[in-house]
Amino acid sequence: MPGENLSRDEARERAALLSVDGYEVALDLRSAVGESGEEVRTFRSVTTVRFRRTGTGSATFVDLIAPAVTSVELNGRALDPAAVFDGARIALDGLADENVLVVDAQCAYSRTGEGMHRFVDPEDGEVYLYTQYEPADARRVYATFEQPDLKAPHVFSVTAPEGWTVWSNGAGEQDADGVWRFKETAPISTYITCVVAGPYHYVTDTYTRTLTDGTELEIPLGAMCRKGLAKHFDADDVFLITKQGFDFFHDNFDYPYPFGKYDQAFVPEYNLGAMENPGMVTFREEYIYRGKVTQAAYERRANVILHEMAHMWFGDLVTMVWWDDLWLKESFADFMGSFSLAEATRFTNSWVTFANNRKSWAYRADQLPSTHPITADIRDLEDAKLNFDGITYAKGASVLKQLVAYAGRDAFLEGARRYFKRHAYGNTRLTDLLSVLEETSGRDMKAWSRSWLQTSGVNTLTPEVTYDAEGRITELAVVQGGDAALDQPTPSAGRPHRVAVGLYRLSVDGELVRFARAEADVVGARTVVAELAGSARPDLVLVNDDDLTYCKVRFDEGSLATLRAHLGDITDPLARALCWSALWNLTRDGLMPARDFVAVVLGFAGRETDIGVLQMVHAWARSAVTHFAAPEWRAEGGRLLAEGGLRELRLAAPGSEHQLTWARFFASAAASDADFQLLEGLLDGTARIDGLDVDQELRWSFLEPLAAHGRADEARIGEELALDDTATGKRHQVRCLAARPSAAVKAQAWAQVVESDALSNALVEATIAGFVQPSQRELIAPYAEKYFAAIEGVWADRSIQIGMDVVRGLFPALHGESALASTDTWLAAHESAAPALRRLVLEGRDDLARALRAQACDGAA
């Protein structure tokens, strides 16, 4: 990534010097189809930028990453491309007060999901294009001032192959000359502009609403996917969630959707979940389900649809000045996704998913050495790319959820309404939001911000309970602290937490139910919850009941004993989810042996009614055995998981989503010849489990463990691809091929990912997933040394997305103390390596050190 970084200081200097009046971008994409004699396939991009000098100075630069620049013209003066273009920037000198820049370039199609991504469908040979820019890849498609605070209207025109349709942010149509021309956008940042082009399957609908002033709002809706996925595309459900989302946001934001139409494209080989391009939202096509999935999958998709819709206001209408305040859009969108999901759709338990899934992501990120405040210090674009993390998204959303409890729902939403109206089409900082929230709530938002937005780390909240001779509570206190003993960052013990404490007891019919609850403001190291004094002795004390705050929960000894014996008896799904999460945090922290966590899973996961929680518990159980179990118990733990998975699979109701979930879990845990024989029988039809539909997606789930254990060779995997010769089938095939237990296979997979850039981003991801198999620790052990020899070159030579995939995905996390020592050696020898690269390695090291501590805990059990 040489020369492609942009620093915050450079962006500030440029924003002080100029403002942008508008872009006109003409793209010729006819080169996307047919044979190409070029080493790098390119397309023509002609950009006209009109901008004014508003500060002092006569020189600046425009961003462009392209193989070649044909011409550059500034205010009618031709500049020599060889003299002004360095591969990432075009130097501009002699600026006037008003300027017109015209850049004619040959830009490259992408295979990494960055810029103009080109995908050839192996099923029918059709070519599909889409763009993805965040944080700074619009410069791979046209010449830009690539920073979020230089907003401007954009006008796109696109010449495309015959028979194609083209979409962009604004409404468009094809002229008589065959060129697609699009309406000028409102002032938006470059990173949210978008072009989608190809023979996509396209479905339309309309959203209508009468606004509070009596006017009628009509939003044309569109949804699209590859032709090969059309038979699976449930556009009606996508439109249903879309309309419910528009109802919710119009009800609560009092600011009509400002970007005209609303298209949603489900595109191939997408690196992200989705991207909030106004009027042209893009999603990964995996949200179109080719086989049977659970309601949790539909809930995830609905959450993403609503998350991206919330961005139309938080992020697109009002945008952060620089990536320091990324949270101003991502935290809000993450919160609003769950908020609207619970209140406007059929997924009324979305806060259970949030507590169990999203916050787990946040807790992990907030305990890494790279933890940062929600309002982060983003020095440059590489920092920005890595800060799309669990802190910016899920911790920020958790803190906003607490803010709603702290300031009040009405005050929070009124603050949002004022924020939109005050800063529409502009850029903001933290202080802009805090000022409106202070106006509407009357609260001191600056103190709240210092505690929650400008500090890092996660607090632990632990109950301390004393009883009298009759067994009644004499005092219940909540103790707040960090995890200094675990070598984790210790946040301020002065953080204010609005916390509910629930008391639970076993009823006569064996249910664990709440009989008392009190809310308290926990401030400082120890807070007494006076309201609960005199209560009868509970079987379980649950701090942070109802999940009002962001913290790790601990238990007193009696409560922990109750959960070991009765977790499945908790009737409230949110309370149960919070307990699962708390036990998992104890396991990750090396305070609960992995085998004990596995025992709780085997005892109670079969009774878990919330399918999303069950899927999360399954993932945790696999991780407990893979990473946190003592090596001498690992095989036994794997056997127990497989046995338990098969038992619950057979007990699950035929045809139910629980049966499907247990089938996938059993396949992932399969460990014995009998397990593999059952999977083979389910694939070839000689075995059957009543009600289990082994569709194509489930077939691949069964085939991968067979490949990883040497029971499916290249020919067998090829036979499966013949049944599913699609883009998705190809990704599954590549993963299965890389999973085979052969030194030659691993060498080939390594070379394809690390030593070559021939694979697309999706196939890089699939190859890495197949390469790293927990059952093959000895086979892939030699690659730990190769990893550290290769990563600096990979980071320098490949795109940042591929660099992240390789550095994270191939970190030697399975190789114990020797890998930890190798990591420390590399870090000591590479203090001057790119900060973003060092951050990724440090995070891998921290996960590995945590695993070793947990293994020691488990070994001592």
Side-chain angles (χ1 to χ4, degrees), residues 244-313:
Q244 291 171 333
F246 272 131
D247 278 342
F248 177 86
F249 292 124
H250 283 109
D251 285 343
N252 288 285
F253 287 172
D254 192 31
Y255 195 108
Y257 171 70
F259 297 111
K261 70 177 180 71
Y262 198 76
D263 283 321
Q264 297 176 94
F266 294 80
V267 297
E269 299 191 325
Y270 203 55
N271 288 322
L272 311 177
M275 183 64 206
E276 67 268 18
N277 315 303
M280 186 66 260
V281 183
T282 43
F283 298 83
R284 65 187 301 122
E285 69 178 16
E286 284 79 1
Y287 287 125
I288 297 174
Y289 304 119
R290 302 193 315 151
K292 183 178 179 180
V293 296
T294 66
Q295 282 303 303
Y298 289 105
E299 180 184 340
R300 281 192 293 273
R301 183 176 71 183
N303 186 290
V304 174
I305 289 172
L306 297 174
H307 175 116
E308 302 310 320
M309 186 179 289
H311 273 311
M312 300 300 117
W313 290 267

Side-chain angles (χ1 to χ4, degrees), residues 364-404:
R364 176 189 175 273
D366 213 9
Q367 296 174 85
L368 291 169
S370 56
T371 185
H372 56 84
I374 295 171
T375 55
D377 179 23
I378 305 299
R379 298 161 296 184
D380 54 33
L381 291 177
E382 288 191 7
D383 277 357
K385 184 73 172 179
L386 268 62
N387 262 43
F388 289 82
D389 60 11
I391 296 172
T392 301
Y393 283 72
K395 180 181 180 181
S398 302
V399 168
L400 289 175
K401 188 170 185 277
Q402 175 163 331
L403 176 61
V404 172

Side-chain angles (χ1 to χ4, degrees), residues 183-409:
K183 290 183 179 179
E184 182 179 72
T185 71
I188 57 176
S189 302
T190 55
Y191 77 90
I192 50 176
T193 60
C194 185
V195 171
V196 175
Y200 285 89
H201 169 72
Y202 185 58
V203 186
T204 61
D205 202 338
T206 304
Y207 172 81
T208 58
R209 179 186 181 88
T210 302
L211 300 176
T212 54
D213 63 2
T215 60
E216 294 295 321
L217 175 67
E218 181 174 296
I219 304 173
L221 305 178
M224 68 196 77
C225 66
R226 288 186 295 114
K227 290 191 296 186
L229 287 174
K231 62 186 176 183
H232 305 293
F233 193 22
D234 53 339
D236 287 348
D237 193 52
V238 171
F239 287 139
L240 172 64
I241 299 297
T242 301
K243 292 175 183 180
Q244 291 171 333
F246 272 131
D247 278 342
F248 177 86
F249 292 124
H250 283 109
D251 285 343
N252 288 285
F253 287 172
D254 192 31
Y255 195 108
Y257 171 70
F259 297 111
K261 70 177 180 71
Y262 198 76
D263 283 321
Q264 297 176 94
F266 294 80
V267 297
E269 299 191 325
Y270 203 55
N271 288 322
L272 311 177
M275 183 64 206
E276 67 268 18
N277 315 303
M280 186 66 260
V281 183
T282 43
F283 298 83
R284 65 187 301 122
E285 69 178 16
E286 284 79 1
Y287 287 125
I288 297 174
Y289 304 119
R290 302 193 315 151
K292 183 178 179 180
V293 296
T294 66
Q295 282 303 303
Y298 289 105
E299 180 184 340
R300 281 192 293 273
R301 183 176 71 183
N303 186 290
V304 174
I305 289 172
L306 297 174
H307 175 116
E308 302 310 320
M309 186 179 289
H311 273 311
M312 300 300 117
W313 290 267
F314 285 106
D316 294 358
L317 178 66
V318 184
T319 312
M320 68 275 161
V321 171
W322 178 248
W323 302 101
D324 292 346
D325 282 314
L326 176 62
W327 81 281
L328 280 172
K329 71 183 190 77
E330 294 302 349
S331 298
F332 274 87
D334 216 50
F335 169 75
M336 284 294 173
S338 293
F339 188 19
S340 58
L341 201 64
E343 301 211 353
T345 77
R346 64 186 183 271
F347 303 108
T348 54
N349 278 342
S350 64
W351 288 121
V352 176
T353 305
F354 181 82
N356 190 251
N357 186 309
R358 300 299 283 178
K359 291 180 81 169
S360 175
W361 181 30
Y363 293 145
R364 176 189 175 273
D366 213 9
Q367 296 174 85
L368 291 169
S370 56
T371 185
H372 56 84
I374 295 171
T375 55
D377 179 23
I378 305 299
R379 298 161 296 184
D380 54 33
L381 291 177
E382 288 191 7
D383 277 357
K385 184 73 172 179
L386 268 62
N387 262 43
F388 289 82
D389 60 11
I391 296 172
T392 301
Y393 283 72
K395 180 181 180 181
S398 302
V399 168
L400 289 175
K401 188 170 185 277
Q402 175 163 331
L403 176 61
V404 172
Y406 175 67
R409 172 186 171 130

Side-chain angles (χ1 to χ4, degrees), residues 356-514:
N356 190 251
N357 186 309
R358 300 299 283 178
K359 291 180 81 169
S360 175
W361 181 30
Y363 293 145
R364 176 189 175 273
D366 213 9
Q367 296 174 85
L368 291 169
S370 56
T371 185
H372 56 84
I374 295 171
T375 55
D377 179 23
I378 305 299
R379 298 161 296 184
D380 54 33
L381 291 177
E382 288 191 7
D383 277 357
K385 184 73 172 179
L386 268 62
N387 262 43
F388 289 82
D389 60 11
I391 296 172
T392 301
Y393 283 72
K395 180 181 180 181
S398 302
V399 168
L400 289 175
K401 188 170 185 277
Q402 175 163 331
L403 176 61
V404 172
Y406 175 67
R409 172 186 171 130
D410 292 343
F412 175 80
L413 290 172
E414 176 58 26
R417 291 188 281 268
R418 295 187 191 184
Y419 179 71
F420 300 142
K421 292 171 183 175
R422 195 169 297 175
H423 301 288
Y425 303 109
N427 296 85
T428 57
R429 296 181 173 87
L430 168 65
T431 52
D432 297 308
L433 178 67
L434 296 183
S435 65
V436 295
L437 289 174
E438 284 189 341
E439 291 172 15
T440 58
S441 71
R443 296 272 197 167
D444 180 4
M445 288 294 119
K446 296 182 183 66
W448 176 85
S449 173
R450 284 192 298 272
S451 294
W452 281 107
L453 302 181
Q454 296 167 270
T455 60
S456 61
V458 55
N459 297 102
T460 61
L461 298 184
T462 307
E464 280 188 356
V465 194
T466 57
Y467 301 95
D468 61 20
E470 298 178 354
R472 294 193 171 273
I473 293 175
T474 55
E475 183 182 82
L476 190 155
V478 177
V479 177
Q480 178 178 190
D483 275 331
L486 300 175
D487 194 27
Q488 299 297 322
T490 302
S492 168
R495 274 183 179 166
H497 296 265
R498 184 65 181 175
V499 169
V501 179
L503 306 183
Y504 290 73
R505 63 185 168 204
L506 285 164
S507 64
V508 292
D509 55 3
E511 293 181 338
L512 194 55
V513 295
R514 187 170 68 193

Side-chain angles (χ1 to χ4, degrees), residues 30 158-159 173-181:
R30 289 174 292 182
V158 178
T159 305
E173 59 184 10
Q174 192 173 23
D175 284 355
D177 60 4
V179 178
W180 290 84
R181 302 185 188 279

Side-chain angles (χ1 to χ4, degrees), residues 603-667:
F604 302 115
R607 296 170 59 186
E608 180 54 60
T609 58
D610 188 292
I611 200 69
V613 172
L614 177 61
Q615 290 169 345
M616 200 73 214
V617 168
H618 282 168
W620 291 340
R622 287 192 296 267
S623 188
V625 170
T626 299
H627 297 290
F628 300 150
E632 62 272 16
W633 188 78
R634 197 177 288 140
E636 173 69 6
R639 182 187 65 79
L640 291 172
L641 288 185
E643 288 181 357
L646 181 57
R647 179 181 67 250
E648 297 298 339
L649 169 59
R650 296 192 184 281
L651 289 173
S656 67
E657 60 182 6
H658 280 72
Q659 183 188 55
L660 176 61
T661 299
W662 281 107
R664 292 185 179 279
F665 178 72
F666 166 67

